[in-house]
Amino acid sequence: MSAKTDSSQFNRVVEDLKLQLKQNLIENTAYESLQQDEWLRTLYSSYTKMFINDNSRIWTTGSIMIPLSLAGFAALPGFRSSRLIHILTLAVASSVVMVTWLFIAENHRAFQQKSMAWIVAIEHTIGLTKTGGPKIRGNFLNRLLTFPAAVQIMRWVLTCAVVVAWIVVVIFWPRCL
């Protein structure tokens, strides 16, 4: 899915949430006795915490699973006298760990997007519509590395690199003996 499609889908979700907030919380007379600003503050705080927690989950699982996946490469020198099946087993295990982390990370990223949609919808509901993009890009290097979906693309590249590296190892292992 392209970044533009993601963006338009995200904007549709924000508009839907904003409409629901206005209809159910702001304009609904049944809630007149409630303090709408307090509700919006509570929702905003809650979704901000969820966003941060999902980010933490991505990198906490990554801090365990990425080194675990890469450890197989460090073990290769000890496999000099092993058969190809041993290397193949290590390669599959390492690749499965890496792909599993990617799956977990992408799911938490989707949860983050939902939280961000709520945050933006609340901001728009209270009139903060010109807050700019999701990133404020600074110096040249920062601008170069903070393109849309940069971290997501890097996760995919890292995962694919590990899988491709294991394919190369498996193919060339018999020649290295």
Side-chain angles (χ1 to χ4, degrees):
M1 187 179 283
S2 71
K4 186 171 178 109
T5 306
D6 273 351
S7 178
S8 63
Q9 182 182 6
F10 179 80
N11 290 335
R12 281 194 306 275
V13 171
V14 167
E15 289 304 314
D16 290 345
L17 290 171
K18 190 168 71 171
L19 181 64
Q20 289 179 48
L21 281 169
K22 279 185 161 187
Q23 288 174 342
N24 294 322
L25 189 61
I26 307 299
E27 297 170 356
N28 191 337
T29 57
Y31 293 107
E32 281 183 16
S33 62
L34 299 175
Q35 294 181 344
Q36 289 95 353
D37 60 335
E38 197 61 40
W39 273 101
L40 290 174
R41 234 185 312 241
T42 300
L43 285 171
Y44 192 86
S45 176
S46 176
Y47 281 106
T48 300
K49 285 177 188 172
M50 283 191 278
F51 181 89
I52 292 168
N53 287 338
D54 285 323
N55 191 62
S56 178
R57 286 182 186 106
I58 290 169
W59 297 110
T60 300
T61 57
S63 70
I64 296 166
M65 296 177 90
I66 293 171
L68 183 61
S69 177
L70 297 177
F73 292 106
L76 279 177
F79 280 84
R80 284 281 175 218
S81 61
S82 298
R83 295 188 338 211
L84 184 60
I85 189 69
H86 298 123
I87 303 303
L88 190 59
T89 302
L90 186 61
V92 169
S94 173
S95 297
V96 165
V97 168
M98 198 65 184
V99 170
T100 300
W101 172 70
L102 181 65
F103 179 79
I104 291 167
E106 287 298 313
N107 275 280
H108 285 296
R109 183 188 161 281
F111 294 140
Q112 277 186 306
Q113 286 295 93
K114 181 177 180 183
S115 295
M116 184 54 69
W118 272 98
I119 291 167
V120 171
I122 292 167
E123 288 173 350
H124 288 187
T125 299
I126 63 170
L128 294 174
T129 57
K130 295 182 180 182
T131 58
K135 298 176 184 176
I136 298 175
R137 299 165 64 192
N139 61 44
F140 170 75
L141 185 58
N142 181 265
R143 285 189 305 277
L144 181 67
L145 299 175
T146 58
F147 52 89
V151 175
Q152 181 183 17
I153 291 169
M154 286 186 267
R155 284 194 305 257
W156 278 91
V157 167
L158 178 60
T159 300
C160 291
V162 167
V163 172
V164 168
W166 278 115
I167 291 170
V168 169
V169 167
V170 168
I171 290 171
F172 291 106
W173 186 257
R175 295 184 185 120
C176 295
L177 296 176

